Amino acid sequence: MAYRVLVWGLGAMGSGIAKNVVGKEELRLVGAVERNAQMFDKDVGIAIGDREYGCKVYSDIELAIEETEPDIAVIATNSFVKEILPKIKIVAKHHVDMITIAEEMAYPFYSHPEESEIINSIALKNGVSILGTGINPGFVLDLLIVTLSGACLNVDRIEARRVNDLSPFGKTVMETQGVGTTPEEFAEGLKKGTIVGHIGFQQSIRMIADALGWELTRIEEVREPIISNTERKTPVVHVKPGMVAGCRHIGRGYIGKRKVIELIHPQQIHPEAENVETGDYIDIYGDPDIHMSIKPEIPGGKGTMAVATNMIPHVVEADPGLLTMLDLPVPSALFREIKG
């Protein structure tokens, strides 16, 4: 019997997750929830520009759950714990498991200790499993690093870089990265907290440290604008020369004065416009040293859609609670028929 899946949010990521779910034999898409009134009551597939899926778009999450009886809801709306918490409460009271791609939910225990306790209590009370995941945080700059460290006798320090293309992402990601702003607006956005760069460095650094048994004394972050010399466009943003095309974000974890983790994440739209090669690079220094290079990078959009989809069976079958990628089996691609 296939797992019944409800997708909440049909933006760039939610639409991709819905399409991926439809193609998997282990899963069945039963509906979607969206605030865009133009999509209401339409077939989900038609609403996102694909073929008919045989299920519809709802405007009300509780009605959607009552009518579709999902095993799990995939929430593809917000990035921050405080934004996603009210939605978790609504879904949990209907005893439905959840996956959210909110970046802060990947490992929220240090950045949001009070909310984490609340979410875990909600999960236990209602008998549901809740996971925050995605390509990053959730995979490249945390779970993959932890997995590679399994081949080390000892680890002294970790350096990793993800140079990626932001182009597939939607309006929310562009805004938090400062894409399309002037350098002055970028600086002001950093001060106001409307521009945050990559969301999830604290979560990834803490996940790695906990997995390795390191007690960090502090985490520091640096954010710098990537100024474009060329004109660049995506469906949701237009960058002219002199404007900000992305953000170079660095996160560092320390034990005392010693830097043990450094994660570097320069991401921008259409990096190829200025001959920037994308890639994922992990360097673990210890016994032995391990150096991994993936070129080009694992695509952020497709990667997030894939990880969220592929974790569905693990989350539904897991014991109740607020979970992380460290708590569950390593994801693998779900079955899709291979035609000879």
Side-chain angles (χ1 to χ4, degrees), residues 37-55:
Q38 295 182 348
M39 293 186 177
F40 295 169
D41 293 324
K42 288 185 177 179
D43 182 277
V44 175
I46 300 301
I48 62 177
D50 200 13
R51 59 182 174 82
E52 286 192 5
Y53 291 167
C55 56

Side-chain angles (χ1 to χ4, degrees), residues 111-243:
S111 59
H112 297 81
E114 182 178 342
E115 290 87 349
S116 296
E117 286 190 20
I118 292 171
I119 293 169
N120 190 55
S121 295
I122 290 170
L124 295 175
K125 177 182 177 181
N126 293 282
V128 300
S129 303
I130 302 171
L131 173 70
T133 194
I135 192 64
N136 189 45
F139 192 80
V140 175
L141 291 185
D142 37 48
L143 183 65
L144 186 55
I145 292 172
V146 171
T147 303
L148 289 173
S149 77
C152 294
L153 298 171
N154 295 293
V155 176
D156 296 321
R157 62 186 174 92
I158 292 165
E159 296 178 5
R161 290 181 297 129
R162 176 164 168 78
V163 184
N164 74 310
D165 185 359
L166 277 178
S167 303
F169 288 90
K171 184 173 181 288
T172 299
V173 171
M174 299 302 172
E175 289 174 349
T176 59
Q177 291 287 336
V179 179
T181 63
T182 65
E184 294 76 17
E185 290 169 339
F186 185 93
E188 187 64 24
L190 287 180
K191 292 179 182 178
K192 292 181 177 179
T194 55
I195 295 175
V196 295
H198 168 62
I199 305 168
F201 263 146
Q202 289 195 38
Q203 287 71 30
S204 292
I205 290 171
R206 291 291 186 180
M207 186 189 297
I208 295 166
D210 280 358
L212 296 178
W214 289 349
E215 293 188 10
L216 300 180
T217 52
R218 66 186 173 97
I219 292 174
E220 66 177 25
E221 299 183 65
V222 178
R223 302 169 182 85
E224 303 167 341
I226 298 173
I227 308 301
S228 184
N229 296 310
T230 58
E231 186 174 16
R232 315 185 203 185
K233 293 181 180 180
T234 79
V236 296
V237 70
H238 182 189
V239 173
K240 298 179 180 180
M243 297 176 70

